[in-house]
């Protein structure tokens, strides 16, 4: 073939490839914006730069978007407004570091900090005004968010595959102004049927633990990472956690507990964004966006391993010291 003709055909093919890539990216961005809208976060990104500004020019794209390396080493160019939590989940974060809590006076809430902090984008990667929060940051800033509004936003949710097997959504229960919030992994069979978290045998044990701390169940708030029962009580999968956990984040922000006590590995790993096992995490204080977080074993684990109860009691005593609670008198 004539070299000039071959060069011309090659150039046209490259143009077609570029166009396909741009279309795919634009669809990706639209999907994420729809997802944000589903979560009730639209007001936080609606006034941002129009979508075409992100993908309009191939030459401008590197300056207007940030490149996020996924765990499979695929580098995907996404606008900063795409949920950073997804990027963070994909990037694999360093384990959260424990903090030390000295006394009950330390129970004052501090400004939001590290546990789920997204690394700042470099100036060259920023496409939005500095005052515009990212979608993830926006979740921290839903002023006046309430539990009823979060429940309403969940609706009759079909956002992840867990909806297929559920009987009832298990939103959470307890005091909306609780100082202490317990977070488990997901509903079991009894919870799925009743719509209440922790009502089976493990739930009864949790209630006993709460009473031993000198509290009633109604004094605390209890929620799970995912709101629908995983089949056969398996652990929630990563995509299910990624989809559902923003609602838990909003619940935490609405309740503003002084202490979060995570039960089992799933909730600790989700909130602290770590892969460390619960036996390494339990008994240590962590900071979760300004709230003290104490991981301990799940009551269901204690039913299988009663020998671990003293360890859990030690963890709960640390929580009691921070909250100024006295153990229940026998
Ligand atoms: S687990 Fe959460 S995201 Fe999935 S269907 Fe249930 S409420 Fe929706």
């Amino acid at each position: 073939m004539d070299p000039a003709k071959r060069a011309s055909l090659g150039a046209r093919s490259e143009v077609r490839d570029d166009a396909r890539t741009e279309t795919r990216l634009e669809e990706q961005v639209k999907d994420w914006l729809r997802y944000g809208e589903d979560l009730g976060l639209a007001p936080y990104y609606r006034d941002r730069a129009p979508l075409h500004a992100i993908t309009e020019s191939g030459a401008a794209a590197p300056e207007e978007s940030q490149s996020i390396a996924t765990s499979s080493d695929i580098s995907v160019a996404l606008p900063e407004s795409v949920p950073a939590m997804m990027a963070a989940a994909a990037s694999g974060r360093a384990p959260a570091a424990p903090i030390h809590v000295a006394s009950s006076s330390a129970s004052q809430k501090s400004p939001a900090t590290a546990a789920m902090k997204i690394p700042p984008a470099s100036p060259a990667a920023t496409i939005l005004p500095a005052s515009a929060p990212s979608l993830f940051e926006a979740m921290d800033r839903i002023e006046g968010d309430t539990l009823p509004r979060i429940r309403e936003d969940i609706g009759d949710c079909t956002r992840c595959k867990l909806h297929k097997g559920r009987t009832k959504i298990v939103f959470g229960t307890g005091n909306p102004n609780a100082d202490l919030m317990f977070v488990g992994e997901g509903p079991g069979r009894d919870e799925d049927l009743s719509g209440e978290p922790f009502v089976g045998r493990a739930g009864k044990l949790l209630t006993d633990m709460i009473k031993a701390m000198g509290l009633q169940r109604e004094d605390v708030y209890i929620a799970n990472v995912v709101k629908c029962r995983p089949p056969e009580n398996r652990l929630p999968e990563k995509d299910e956690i990624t989809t559902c956990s923003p609602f838990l984040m909003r619940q935490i922000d609405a309740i503003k507990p002084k202490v979060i006590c995570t039960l089992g590995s799933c909730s600790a790993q989700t909130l602290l964004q770590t892969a460390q096992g619960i036996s390494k995490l339990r008994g240590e204080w962590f900071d979760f966006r300004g709230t003290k977080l104490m991981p301990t074993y799940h009551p269901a684990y204690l039913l299988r391993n009663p020998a671990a109860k003293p360890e859990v009691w030690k963890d709960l005593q640390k929580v009691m010291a921070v909250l100024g609670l006295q153990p229940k008198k026998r």
Side-chain angles (χ1 to χ4, degrees), residues 60-73:
E63 285 197 356
E64 294 182 0
S65 60
Q66 59 182 333
S67 181
I68 297 163
T70 68
S71 55
S72 55
D73 286 326

Side-chain angles (χ1 to χ4, degrees), residues 154 157 159-160 162-163 166 227-228 243-244:
I154 292 178
C157 187
R159 292 174 180 87
C160 86
L162 290 182
H163 81 275
R166 73 156 180 253
K227 313 298 184 204
C228 300
T243 307
C244 201

Side-chain angles (χ1 to χ4, degrees), residues 159-170:
R159 292 174 180 87
C160 86
K161 59 185 180 294
L162 290 182
H163 81 275
K164 292 177 190 162
R166 73 156 180 253
T167 309
K168 288 186 178 170
I169 289 176
V170 182

